[in-house]
Amino acid sequence: MARRTASLLPQWSSRIFSVELDGAPHYFAIKEKHRGEEVPRLFTLKARHYERCYSLLVCSSDRVRRAKFYGELKDKLLRHLSPESDLSPMSSFLPDVKDSLVRGYFFKGDSQSSSSTERLLQELIQRDPVLVCSYLRGEDGQLWTQRLWPPAESQMTEMSKDYYVVPSEAPKYHPSVLNIVNSDVFYSFEEAYEVLKKCGDIIPEAKSVLELLPSGAETRSKPDFPVIVIEGLDATGKTTLTESLRDTLKAVLLQSPPQCLSPWRARFDQEPPLIRRAFYALGNYITAEQIGQQGMKTPVIVDRFWHSTAAYAIATAVSGPLSNLPAEGSEVYRWPSDLLQPNLVVLLTLDPEERKRRLRNRGQGKTEEEQELDHNQLFRLRVEEAYRRISGPSCITVDASPSADQVLQQVLLLIRGKCHL
Ligand SMILES: Nc1ncnc2c1ncn2[C@@H]1O[C@H](COP(=O)(O)OP(=O)(O)OP(=O)(O)O)[C@@H](O)[C@H]1O
Ligand SMILES: Nc1ccn([C@H]2C[C@H](O)[C@@H](COP(=O)(O)O)O2)c(=O)n1
């Protein structure tokens, strides 16, 4: 058992832990306990009767299983724990080490129901890939010790000791940045394909999607005619503009995700980010195949493409202000080497109030991510900034607030300048 836990989460004592408490991230490290040592204080939990807290980190080496289980675990804990437990997301990572982020949850253990909580934890560690720790409050109500739970799990490992929980500086970038590559954003057909292939047993629809895929991202010869992608948040006027461009340029209009994936889109929108983003990533390769065929005959206009896939994924993986995004020039913003590159990518931007007005006028239902855009100003800013940072090709921003015809003329000017049409 001890060996199991040690291999689940290597370099235990070098890790930083992050937990959202009262709406703010708290970062802490652990320090071996030595007698009489002064240790900085971390945080106080409000209610006195919470003598103990728990963390659960999901440690499976199978990333599809880990992603599915992480979502299910939240539902399970919410069903079982009292609302006073303040269930919060938690993570642990090795500073600057890619792919080292492990996610989980943190909650306060109510002394009233401690035996039933411990029964649930016992059940979880026996069946599922979780690592459980308990945290005890120090005498001054502020200092906490961390220890592997239950104590019998910890014999003979570096986790066997008690550790002080000490405050740690916030990392330069949001810890989720460490795991974006090939978990939130995919940089090759193969990487996204692998995820959907592994899902075949648990999500039957994945098999239908796999059947629609081109046989790899073959290097086709570049289309003879220009390929122009129109990007932007919802209701910025993409549909209006792409339809006008199609008519004006006698072009073919395509979209990503492609029409043939429509029957499965809602299904994959319910899945955890790893699976959902792999679905959208593969959609781009189907659209690329269609572009390759149509682009030999006419200009092609595309409503959303890889910029959307990457920008929404990055902006969702990272929370908080723009400064939490990976820095400009980061590998996270690079274009997949095996994906067709358009000749021009236009990003439509709009004042948030005008966007809301257009959304209201349109009056359609919204996806969860669209609702988030409405309510969460920071999320909207992160999506737009991520769009701007993507390179190879980069997007050219066009203000979409003038009339539909003025926006069309502006974009036609850009196309004529860049694509010799
Ligand atoms: N330049 C414009 N000025 C005023 N209204 C516009 C303009 N362009 C589009 N609209 C209106 O704004 C609404 C949203 O436009 P549209 O559907 O083209 O956006 P979209 O970017 O395709 O949205 P989504 O991504 O959600 O499909 C529509 O009612 C459309 O008629
Ligand atoms: N190529 C694409 C297109 C869309 N998405 C995702 C990103 C958002 O969650 C949502 C927006 O699309 P809309 O509702 O406006 O059709 O779909 C993507 O990841 N990649």
Side-chain angles (χ1 to χ4, degrees):
M1 192 68 97
R3 234 174 256 133
R4 178 186 85 96
T5 48
S7 61
L8 280 177
L9 198 62
Q11 291 180 266
W12 179 249
S13 51
S14 312
R15 290 187 160 264
I16 304 287
F17 298 80
S18 158
V19 60
E20 287 270 317
L21 286 176
D22 303 324
H26 288 67
Y27 293 98
F28 63 88
I30 53 175
K31 200 166 181 291
E32 207 179 320
K33 218 173 162 185
H34 294 296
R35 252 196 216 170
E37 199 178 5
E38 276 281 310
V39 184
R41 293 165 171 205
L42 184 62
F43 45 78
T44 316
L45 293 186
K46 281 179 188 154
R48 274 207 70 80
H49 61 282
Y50 292 111
E51 296 300 333
R52 190 184 285 266
C53 291
Y54 297 94
S55 66
L56 292 95
L57 292 168
V58 180
C59 298
S60 171
S61 56
D62 175 340
R63 58 189 179 145
V64 170
R65 186 173 177 216
R66 197 167 62 217
K68 288 290 275 183
F69 180 66
Y70 179 67
E72 289 160 13
L73 180 60
K74 184 175 182 186
D75 295 340
K76 198 178 270 187
L77 292 171
L78 282 174
R79 269 200 312 274
H80 183 91
L81 301 173
S82 69
E84 291 80 43
S85 299
D86 281 349
L87 184 70
S88 321
M90 181 182 191
S91 63
S92 169
F93 58 97
L94 293 165
D96 300 327
V97 178
K98 274 191 209 151
D99 226 19
S100 66
L101 187 88
V102 174
R103 290 177 205 281
Y105 298 100
F106 184 90
F107 63 90
K108 299 173 186 174
D110 184 343
S111 53
Q112 307 289 302
S113 58
S114 63
S115 56
S116 75
T117 301
E118 298 213 340
R119 258 199 315 278
L120 171 76
L121 295 175
Q122 196 63 260
E123 238 174 67
L124 286 170
I125 58 169
Q126 267 157 23
R127 257 206 340 244
D128 298 310
V130 286
L131 193 67
V132 179
C133 284
S134 64
Y135 298 78
L136 285 178
R137 187 163 56 177
E139 276 156 24
D140 61 359
Q142 288 227 346
L143 198 61
W144 291 75
T145 48
Q146 182 200 54
R147 113 173 286 216
L148 199 62
W149 188 94
E153 277 264 304
S154 63
Q155 288 156 21
M156 310 284 293
T157 74
E158 68 166 327
M159 300 165 173
S160 66
K161 303 156 191 161
D162 277 356
Y163 290 95
Y164 282 122
V165 167
V166 294
S168 168
E169 274 187 16
K172 191 165 170 210
Y173 299 110
H174 194 282
S176 295
V177 167
L178 297 170
N179 282 36
I180 283 180
V181 174
N182 292 331
S183 289
D184 295 292
V185 187
F186 297 90
Y187 298 87
S188 72
F189 176 87
E190 279 307 318
E191 279 289 346
Y193 182 83
E194 275 307 306
V195 172
L196 243 61
K197 205 168 81 180
K198 276 197 171 163
C199 291
D201 294 337
I202 43 173
I203 309 173
E205 292 85 348
K207 289 190 178 141
S208 314
V209 173
L210 292 175
E211 282 166 16
L212 294 170
L213 295 177
S215 51
E218 301 127 41
T219 30
R220 291 182 160 274
S221 45
K222 234 183 154 9
D224 290 338
F225 287 85
V227 178
I228 297 125
V229 171
I230 307 299
E231 292 282 10
L233 302 180
D234 59 308
T236 46
K238 296 182 298 301
T239 307
T240 309
L241 175 64
T242 50
E243 287 178 353
S244 303
L245 286 171
R246 176 195 59 199
D247 298 343
T248 313
L249 300 173
K250 311 247 172 307
V252 161
L253 174 54
L254 297 172
Q255 66 194 61
S256 173
Q259 207 82 58
C260 63
L261 288 187
S262 303
W264 295 288
R265 190 171 176 186
R267 174 72 183 82
F268 282 89
D269 276 343
Q270 294 163 17
E271 291 299 325
L274 175 78
I275 299 167
R276 176 165 189 239
R277 301 303 178 191
F279 169 83
Y280 280 102
L282 291 171
N284 289 324
Y285 287 94
I286 299 180
T287 301
E289 165 110 331
Q290 297 171 347
I291 296 172
Q293 289 160 3
Q294 299 296 333
M296 292 301 174
K297 299 180 265 181
T298 55
V300 181
I301 309 299
V302 191
D303 187 340
R304 291 198 191 271
F305 198 45
W306 195 78
H307 270 76
S308 278
T309 311
Y312 278 80
I314 295 166
T316 311
V318 173
S319 58
L322 285 185
S323 55
N324 279 353
L325 283 175
E328 192 140 23
S330 155
E331 56 164 359
V332 160
Y333 301 114
R334 72 177 192 272
W335 192 267
S337 56
D338 59 358
L339 184 64
L340 178 140
Q341 294 179 331
N343 300 79
L344 175 67
V345 182
V346 171
L347 172 66
L348 298 180
T349 57
L350 202 53
D351 166 75
E353 287 312 310
E354 171 62 9
R355 219 186 105 250
K356 270 194 206 156
R357 197 189 61 75
R358 290 187 191 178
L359 272 170
R360 267 198 307 274
N361 286 353
R362 194 173 60 175
Q364 285 169 349
K366 292 186 223 163
T367 64
E368 256 179 55
E369 220 152 48
E370 285 168 346
Q371 286 170 22
E372 179 74 3
L373 279 172
D374 245 8
H375 297 137
N376 188 337
Q377 143 102 339
L378 284 176
F379 178 56
R380 187 176 53 72
L381 291 173
R382 290 197 303 274
V383 177
E384 281 193 344
E385 187 54 30
Y387 267 129
R388 289 195 187 94
R389 290 186 186 180
I390 291 167
S391 64
S394 307
C395 55
I396 297 182
T397 302
V398 167
D399 174 14
S401 44
S403 72
D405 189 55
Q406 284 171 305
V407 176
L408 171 67
Q409 296 311 322
Q410 176 74 31
V411 173
L412 283 172
L413 269 181
L414 280 175
I415 295 174
R416 289 188 178 121
K418 283 273 281 181
C419 308
H420 316 294
L421 258 181

